[in-house]
């Protein structure tokens, strides 16, 4: 058990809608990263938050946005959903530093109809 | 841009048949190479971190090694419960600590 909790576990939306995914950790780690994993692919980096500030972003459009709260929990928001947004969304916590492992939750499975 | 290539894409073994998974990487400056195990419907589970060429880590039937261009995950006498997708990822520095993942190797161990 990593102590990372993601909610909801599954979600079905239609094109054009908006969605909010949530992530929290019991570890006290202050850095949270979000990844998108399409079927049969490795996770792709969306963005990272450290002390409530965005600390790097991958090749995702601005309709993907996030927040980190003072207790280090985090939200991923996606606006104007597209069919290609269907994927497993993973969050991961770490203590910071590129040599520290990131510990993942079990993800939110998002399906767009 | 960092690149990670894993091979083979899929591997089927008989119980007790040892083998190795490969992870080739291209980075500007390696901070860490990470191995994860992912079961269906679950998030990646951390296995090992390797930092420099020549380093080795072991855990039960798994042993990870690192060179300047690739890493191997050796599986000795695997059991059916070792069946999973094994993911390799690198962090190469910069101001954030993103992981760049390969596509993974799907390992199936038959009894």
């Amino acid at each position: 058990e990593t102590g990372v909790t993601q909610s909801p576990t599954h979600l079905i939306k239609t094109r054009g809608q908006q969605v909010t995914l949530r992530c929290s950790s019991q570890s006290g780690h202050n850095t949270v990263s979000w990844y998108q994993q399409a079927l049969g692919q490795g996770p792709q980096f969306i963005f990272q938050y450290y002390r409530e500030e965005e600390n790097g972003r991958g090749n995702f459009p601005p309709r993907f946005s996030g927040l980190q709260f003072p207790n280090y929990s985090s939200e991923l928001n996606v606006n104007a959903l597209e069919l290609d947004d269907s994927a497993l969304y993973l969050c991961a916590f770490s203590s910071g530093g590129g040599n520290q492992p990131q510990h993942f939750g079990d993800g939110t499975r998002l399906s767009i109809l | 841009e960092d690149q990670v290539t894993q091979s083979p894409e899929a591997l089927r073994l008989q119980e007790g048949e040892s083998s190795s998974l490969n992870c080739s990487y291209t980075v500007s400056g390696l901070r860490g190479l990470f191995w994860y195990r992912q079961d269906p419907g679950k998030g990646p589970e951390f296995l090992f971190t390797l930092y420099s060429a020549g380093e080795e880590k072991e855990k039960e039937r798994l042993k990870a090694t690192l060179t300047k261009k690739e890493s191997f995950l050796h599986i000795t006498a695997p059991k059916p419960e070792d069946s999973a997708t094994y993911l390799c990822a690198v962090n190469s520095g910069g101001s954030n600590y993103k992981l760049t993942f390969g596509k993974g190797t799907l390992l199936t161990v038959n009894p």
Side-chain angles (χ1 to χ4, degrees):
Chain A
E1 289 293 328
T2 63
V4 178
T5 302
Q6 292 191 241
S7 62
T9 55
H10 295 85
L11 203 50
I12 299 175
K13 292 285 189 179
T14 56
R15 280 185 303 171
Q17 286 189 311
Q18 178 266 342
V19 69
T20 298
L21 310 182
R22 295 179 174 84
C23 176
S24 63
S25 173
Q26 301 174 325
S27 67
H29 290 162
N30 58 17
T31 303
V32 61
S33 304
W34 286 89
Y35 294 83
Q36 180 194 67
Q37 187 176 25
L39 210 58
Q41 303 294 314
Q44 278 203 305
F45 178 72
I46 302 175
F47 46 56
Q48 183 180 89
Y49 280 81
Y50 171 68
R51 292 186 177 179
E52 303 178 53
E53 297 286 333
E54 187 178 288
N55 184 41
R57 187 178 186 91
N59 295 326
F60 282 82
R63 59 190 185 83
F64 286 77
S65 63
L67 283 173
Q68 186 180 30
F69 300 100
N71 65 355
Y72 305 138
S73 66
S74 180
E75 287 183 354
L76 164 65
N77 298 288
V78 187
N79 293 322
L81 287 166
E82 301 177 359
L83 294 178
D84 284 349
D85 295 334
S86 295
L88 180 67
Y89 288 85
L90 297 161
C91 74
F93 282 84
S94 64
S95 57
N99 58 359
Q100 298 302 310
Q102 296 183 13
H103 298 280
F104 287 80
D106 285 336
T108 294
R109 173 68 64 186
L110 177 62
S111 300
I112 311 300
L113 303 179
Chain B
E1 187 171 318
D2 301 345
Q3 290 190 332
V4 177
T5 303
Q6 291 188 246
S7 62
E9 291 185 4
L11 181 62
R12 190 177 293 272
L13 300 173
Q14 288 298 121
E15 185 171 1
E17 180 187 2
S18 301
S19 188
S20 297
L21 313 182
N22 177 263
C23 171
S24 298
Y25 63 91
T26 305
V27 298
S28 55
L30 185 69
R31 276 188 180 160
L33 183 141
F34 304 85
W35 281 98
Y36 286 86
R37 168 191 172 131
Q38 187 173 27
D39 292 303
K42 298 289 189 180
E45 175 189 348
F46 171 70
L47 293 173
F48 303 111
T49 308
L50 300 167
Y51 300 110
S52 57
E55 191 174 1
E56 299 182 352
K57 294 268 179 79
E58 282 190 71
K59 179 180 179 181
E60 296 181 358
R61 295 176 293 282
L62 301 177
K63 179 179 173 181
T65 62
L66 182 66
T67 73
K68 288 186 178 179
K69 293 184 178 180
E70 56 191 351
S71 177
F72 292 92
L73 185 65
H74 307 277
I75 303 176
T76 302
K79 298 182 177 182
E81 53 261 43
D82 294 323
S83 297
T85 295
Y86 290 86
L87 294 164
C88 171
V90 297
N91 176 275
S92 64
S95 62
N96 68 66
Y97 308 122
K98 75 169 188 176
L99 295 177
T100 300
F101 281 86
K103 292 183 178 181
T105 293
L106 175 61
L107 174 66
T108 304
V109 182
N110 295 317

